Amino acid sequence: MAAPSTTSPSASRRAYEHVRRGLLDGTLADGELLSEGAVATAVGVSRTPVREAFLQLEAEGLLALYPKRGALVLPVTAREAREMFAARALVEADALRTILARPEDPALVPGLRAILDDQRRLHGAGDLVASAEADRRLHRAWVAAADNAVLLRFFDGLRDRQERMTVAMMRRGGVRPERLIEEHAAIVDAVELRDADLAVRLVGEHLAAARVAAADD
């Protein structure tokens, strides 16, 4: 049987997930130059799938490629953090008002509470990256529920930058994970009460606090 090709989607995916995890958990620092060879050795693949992974991460705004030198880890600037949280506040406020103006979806609140429980569990396990991913999934859930494909694509395009900032803020003490979870619980309670004004106010305050914490980092 022939050996599997190192250019298979699984090889590229393994390289992508390896680098992405390092970017999110802080193993790969801002300004660090990554080489295809080093990543290929770490993952156990050839350079081709690493190159493909680098291209994807560049498209997501996490790396800058320099031919024959490698890939530079791009920092999240204070301005980018401010602009991202401001944009998210607009998108999420619109999503919450939309879903709470419609007939109640009986699956929405149980789904939100399930993600919130998952975030609590992951925080208790000390996995900051997975906890940040659950944080993003919770916010995404009410954006997705609004059923606006354009806004959901925009929100999804911010995925890794969001998670990276959340992990960095938690790691540096800019925000306490317990506080994030408490704020999330209050937003979900407001959704359950079908109080759009309260839900929008709470998510705005939540994202404004995160914007300040990110700028302080």
Side-chain angles (χ1 to χ4, degrees):
M1 180 182 294
S5 169
T6 55
T7 60
S8 67
S10 61
S12 298
R13 190 68 189 176
R14 282 162 50 206
Y16 170 86
E17 291 295 348
H18 172 81
V19 177
R20 178 177 176 272
R21 180 81 184 191
L23 292 169
L24 294 181
D25 67 15
T27 303
L28 301 176
D30 291 350
E32 184 172 346
L33 189 64
L34 312 180
S35 75
E36 290 179 3
V39 173
T41 299
V43 180
V45 298
S46 71
R47 292 185 180 221
T48 299
V50 174
R51 191 172 305 121
E52 293 168 354
F54 280 2
L55 286 169
Q56 184 175 350
L57 291 161
E58 181 184 45
E60 294 171 3
L62 297 173
L63 298 178
L65 301 189
Y66 292 88
K68 299 183 180 180
R69 293 182 57 196
L72 185 72
V73 177
L74 292 176
V76 178
T77 66
R79 176 176 177 175
E80 182 180 5
R82 288 195 304 270
E83 292 175 350
M84 190 195 75
F85 282 116
R88 282 185 57 191
L90 294 173
V91 169
E92 296 187 38
D94 180 78
L96 287 166
R97 289 199 181 280
T98 297
I99 61 178
L100 293 176
R102 294 174 177 166
E104 185 174 1
D105 176 359
L108 177 61
V109 171
L112 295 177
R113 293 207 182 280
I115 299 171
L116 189 57
D117 288 343
D118 201 29
Q119 187 181 18
R120 289 192 181 100
R121 178 183 60 80
L122 293 166
H123 166 58
D127 191 334
L128 291 183
V129 174
S131 178
E133 195 275 335
D135 180 303
R136 185 195 65 83
R137 281 193 286 121
L138 183 68
H139 286 263
R140 186 187 189 278
W142 52 68
V143 175
D147 198 26
N148 184 318
V150 173
L151 291 183
L152 184 59
R153 280 197 300 272
F154 170 78
F155 187 88
D156 284 344
L158 302 175
R159 182 191 69 170
D160 289 339
R161 306 297 266 184
Q162 291 181 53
E163 291 181 31
R164 193 173 173 207
M165 277 189 274
T166 301
V167 172
M169 287 187 294
M170 290 191 293
R171 186 178 297 279
R172 296 169 188 168
V175 293
R176 292 186 301 107
E178 297 87 352
R179 178 66 180 272
L180 291 178
I181 292 170
E182 290 170 4
E183 292 173 358
H184 286 161
I187 296 166
V188 174
D189 287 345
V191 172
E192 186 169 29
L193 291 171
R194 300 192 60 76
D195 189 330
D197 289 340
L198 178 59
V200 168
R201 178 173 65 79
L202 290 174
V203 84
E205 291 172 353
H206 173 70
L207 293 172
R211 183 171 68 243
V212 171
D216 288 344
D217 282 344

